[in-house]
Amino acid sequence: TLAGTPLQPGNYSITITAVDTRGNTTTSQIGIVVKWPIPAAPTITSPSNGVVVTDPAVTVSGTTAALAYVQVFLNGSPVGSPVRASGDGNFYTQLQLPAPGSYQITANARLGGAFGPLSQPTVFAYELPKPSVVINSPPAGATVSGTVEIEAAAVDSSGIASVEISVDGTSVGQLTAPPYVVRWDSSTVTNATHALTVTATSGRGAVGSVQQSIQVANAPPPPVIPPTPYTGVVDSVTPSNSYGDQRIVVTGHSMDRATGVRVPNALLRF
């Protein structure tokens, strides 16, 4: 300002005239150039660097020179019109993210016709919200055996497209509608600790999962009794038909299983 009058940027000539007591005058002239002050780069305070957001509507806020106009850039392209900062230098605006992915926000400030430098970039990511998944049965750490009923639940605002249940990374069931229940034969794995995982895919394609450990403890199978090297062969039954209290005579012989040769003095049991 000059004598309280604001001056726009430009070149000015100022003339000063002095008059003494005898009426003599002296004139002096000087030139001045008025420029807008260049504002410093804004500071973006939100969103914070490295954050992951799940809502495509993002509020961008920060600080800059008082009453400066701030232009926000998304991945290098201006977004919307410049917004004016408040008297204490605070500014905010909103932008809509087009799709999930990684984004970079920068901003610069303008005072009058003077544009300041770009701010430090803020890098963040937009991800679709993951569906909520829980395992209802069996409980975490449970000891199971035989056929096990595995029950899960999944919820998402966009609906659930599918639920997959797996043990140690191997799928044991894929379901597209509730109830999300499968019956799993635990004898297909060893007696040990195993990872039970339930993975849900939402209607928007987002994936959420939960994992817990279970202990498989199946009883060992009964031992296999090895066959004798020989067997018995029935030669005759007398009488062939019996009625009531009647003595029956069974005759036969022992035989080697491999060769078919009779084996003398072998012990046979009926």
Side-chain angles (χ1 to χ4, degrees), residues 2-248:
L2 182 64
T5 302
L7 296 178
Q8 294 298 315
N11 297 319
Y12 293 87
S13 178
I14 300 176
T15 301
I16 302 173
T17 301
V19 181
D20 62 15
T21 56
R22 297 179 181 179
N24 298 315
T25 62
T26 301
T27 301
S28 178
Q29 191 174 61
I30 60 173
I32 62 172
V33 178
V34 177
K35 294 182 179 181
W36 290 109
I38 298 176
T43 298
I44 297 174
T45 57
S46 179
S48 56
N49 203 43
V51 73
V52 176
V53 300
T54 57
D55 190 337
V58 176
T59 299
V60 180
S61 60
T63 58
T64 187
L67 304 178
Y69 286 90
V70 177
Q71 177 65 63
V72 173
F73 299 85
L74 181 64
N75 290 349
S77 298
V79 180
S81 301
V83 294
R84 194 176 191 187
S86 63
D88 54 5
N90 293 315
F91 72 90
Y92 76 93
T93 186
Q94 277 204 323
L95 55 86
Q96 190 77 16
L97 301 176
S102 180
Y103 291 92
Q104 176 179 283
I105 292 177
T106 53
N108 67 358
R110 172 174 61 85
L111 281 174
F115 290 86
L118 283 174
S119 65
Q120 289 295 316
T122 294
V123 178
F124 67 102
Y126 165 43
E127 295 181 358
L128 292 173
K130 297 178 181 180
S132 175
V133 189
V134 295
I135 298 175
N136 293 330
S137 177
T143 299
V144 299
S145 61
T147 300
V148 182
E149 187 173 274
I150 303 172
E151 179 183 359
V155 178
D156 188 83
S157 60
S158 67
I160 298 297
S162 66
V163 169
E164 184 175 28
I165 300 174
S166 61
V167 176
D168 295 337
T170 300
S171 178
V172 297
Q174 188 157 357
L175 309 161
T176 56
Y180 304 117
V181 178
V182 298
R183 293 175 64 82
W184 168 61
D185 181 7
S186 66
S187 68
T188 58
V189 298
T190 60
N191 286 345
T193 299
H194 297 273
L196 172 60
T197 306
V198 176
T199 303
T201 302
S202 72
R204 289 175 290 207
V207 176
S209 65
V210 63
Q211 185 179 91
Q212 68 184 36
S213 296
I214 55 173
Q215 184 74 28
V216 174
N218 284 304
V224 178
I225 300 175
T228 60
Y230 58 88
T231 186
V233 178
V234 176
D235 294 328
S236 65
V237 178
T238 306
S240 58
N241 295 313
S242 175
Y243 303 95
D245 187 9
Q246 186 177 6
R247 184 171 179 269
I248 299 174

